[in-house]
Amino acid sequence: MFRNDLLQVVSDNEKINALAKCSYSQLLLEYGGVFARMKDYDQKNPHHHLDLLKHSIKTACNIGSNGMEDQDFIELRIAALLHDIGKLNTARIKEDRTVYYGHPAESRKIAEKTTRL
């Protein structure tokens, strides 16, 4: 995943929402395997009724600029879009439900590596 690609996508809600309409193959080609795996991923959590990609898209779209500097706004939206990307690497079954212990740190590691921020 390249930072410049994300900068263009997260600057506009319409572009962010368009990610949900992309196929897995399109996401794989444009943003890489780690990002593409979020598509249709069921979090199996009563607090998250959306798949992981749609949840992340919704989170990013809910970030308003609120007078922030453009750079801060864009970086916050990138963080919101990638905030749960580490869930897939940390998913474990515990007492018949999926848990994601350590996913914030894993998400940060993946985001830093893949976006070259």
Side-chain angles (χ1 to χ4, degrees), residues 13-25:
N13 279 359
E14 200 171 302
K15 291 178 183 177
I16 296 173
N17 282 312
L19 292 171
K21 296 175 185 158
C22 290
S23 68
Y24 174 86
S25 298

Side-chain angles (χ1 to χ4, degrees), residues 82 85 106-117:
L82 302 179
I85 199 167
E106 182 68 12
S107 295
R108 179 181 176 170
K109 183 174 87 176
I110 292 168
E112 287 175 342
K113 178 181 173 186
T114 60
T115 61
R116 299 180 185 113
L117 290 176

Side-chain angles (χ1 to χ4, degrees), residues 34-101:
V34 177
F35 188 83
R37 289 180 12 192
M38 293 196 311
K39 180 160 183 76
D40 299 326
Y41 181 80
D42 182 355
Q43 298 181 74
K44 296 183 175 122
N45 184 306
H47 304 290
H48 293 288
H49 65 281
L50 299 172
D51 72 51
L52 188 56
L53 181 60
K54 288 178 184 165
H55 163 75
S56 297
I57 289 168
K58 184 176 180 179
T59 302
C61 285
N62 283 326
I63 302 291
S65 65
N66 298 329
M68 277 185 261
E69 295 289 327
D70 288 345
Q71 184 66 26
D72 292 338
F73 172 64
I74 294 299
E75 288 185 10
L76 185 56
R77 278 198 154 189
I78 290 172
L81 185 63
L82 302 179
H83 79 281
D84 278 343
I85 199 167
K87 278 189 167 182
L88 291 103
N89 292 352
T90 62
R92 303 289 180 268
I93 303 297
K94 180 180 178 184
E95 299 174 7
D96 297 326
R97 63 184 276 249
T98 305
V99 295
Y100 303 97
Y101 299 134

